[in-house]
Amino acid sequence: MAIAEFIKSVAPKNQEWLRLASLLSLSGLFATSALIIDANMVAPIGPETLAGLGLASTLYAMFMALLFGFGSAAQIALSRLAGASDKQKFSQNLAVVLAAGLLVAVAIVPLARFNIEFLINWLATTSGVGFAARDYLQVLVFAIPISFACFVLTSGLSVRKRVGEELRGFAIEVPINICLNAILIYGLFGAPALGIVGAAYATIVAVSCRLIYLLWCTRQDRLLVSIKELGPKGVVE
């Protein structure tokens, strides 16, 4: 009897936890959609182009790994404040982590571009793979600050259990990415056929559209503050 009552009392909490875990898993799956879409769209061009995209994606992930520390700090700091009633402190921490991470992300872009040639020449198995990887990555590195901003703003939604808004962001990004990939890679509707470079441009535009939506969601919650509003207390504690 006691066991049955215990199960009955915790069941609603478990259902909420499972629902949230399912939505977060789905959000994580969609987070990989950009590179998966690019790979599927450039595959018909040829095996070397596809291999070049795979190499470029690996190097892009390496550059993004330099920002993982800021991303982890954002999640920890925001999760500690998510349940508190001090909305101003939450917004201050969100702004500080976002600004600090963006400064590093912007600094990584020239660092990445400067080392692309060396890394690709070292890792590429053929010249065709190297050319494809270089052309794709030289454009995609500009998505690093955009992707980081999306990650921080998404963390702000996740810790407040606003996963539905995360998924709506991907519902905007994915169709735009697919459509622009087709148009820019193969030159549909009179657009120039850019090949693998078109895939990189499509990804940047699609992720930027998701960022605009996330900024709008955050602004609606009055969680974006100006630099003047941060003040001396606008630090992560």
Side-chain angles (χ1 to χ4, degrees):
M1 188 66 177
I3 296 176
E5 291 178 357
F6 173 77
I7 294 174
K8 186 177 180 180
S9 66
V10 301
K13 296 180 180 179
N14 285 339
Q15 289 176 359
E16 177 63 22
W17 179 84
L18 289 172
R19 174 182 171 278
L20 184 61
S22 300
L23 291 175
L24 287 172
S25 297
L26 188 59
S27 178
L29 181 63
F30 277 122
T32 65
S33 64
L35 296 176
I36 294 174
I37 291 169
D38 288 356
N40 279 276
M41 297 298 285
V42 304
I45 298 177
E48 284 193 326
T49 301
L50 182 59
L53 185 139
L55 174 58
S57 300
T58 302
L59 293 175
Y60 181 80
M62 181 187 72
F63 296 137
M64 286 297 298
L66 298 174
L67 292 167
F68 282 171
F70 285 93
S72 299
Q75 288 182 320
I76 294 170
L78 296 176
S79 62
R80 288 170 57 189
L81 295 168
S85 58
D86 192 348
K87 196 172 184 179
Q88 182 182 5
K89 197 169 187 62
F90 184 92
S91 64
Q92 287 176 339
N93 278 267
L94 178 65
V96 168
V97 174
L98 182 60
L102 282 176
L103 286 175
V104 177
V106 170
I108 288 175
V109 172
L111 175 67
R113 284 181 63 86
F114 180 77
N115 287 282
I116 285 174
E117 199 74 32
F118 166 74
L119 291 170
I120 289 177
N121 289 338
W122 179 37
L123 296 171
T125 54
T126 67
S127 59
V129 172
F131 288 140
R134 183 196 60 202
D135 292 346
Y136 180 75
L137 195 56
Q138 282 183 340
V139 175
L140 193 65
V141 289
F142 291 104
I144 290 175
I146 304 171
S147 297
F148 176 78
C150 285
F151 176 79
V152 173
L153 295 176
T154 297
S155 297
L157 293 173
S158 296
V159 297
R160 290 179 292 131
K161 301 180 180 180
R162 303 278 289 276
V163 188
E165 293 178 14
E166 287 185 47
L167 295 177
R168 281 192 286 273
F170 287 114
I172 294 171
E173 175 190 331
V174 172
I176 292 174
N177 199 5
I178 293 173
C179 293
L180 286 180
N181 260 282
I183 293 171
L184 296 178
I185 292 174
Y186 301 106
L188 302 181
F189 307 112
L194 300 177
I196 193 171
V197 177
Y201 282 121
T203 296
I204 290 176
V205 172
V207 176
S208 298
C209 290
R210 180 162 67 96
L211 175 59
I212 292 171
Y213 170 76
L214 292 173
L215 286 169
W216 178 82
C217 290
T218 307
R219 189 62 181 176
Q220 289 294 105
D221 287 345
R222 301 185 181 276
L223 291 179
L224 287 183
V225 298
S226 66
I227 295 176
K228 292 181 179 179
E229 292 178 279
L230 285 177
K233 294 183 179 180
V235 294
V236 180
E237 295 181 357

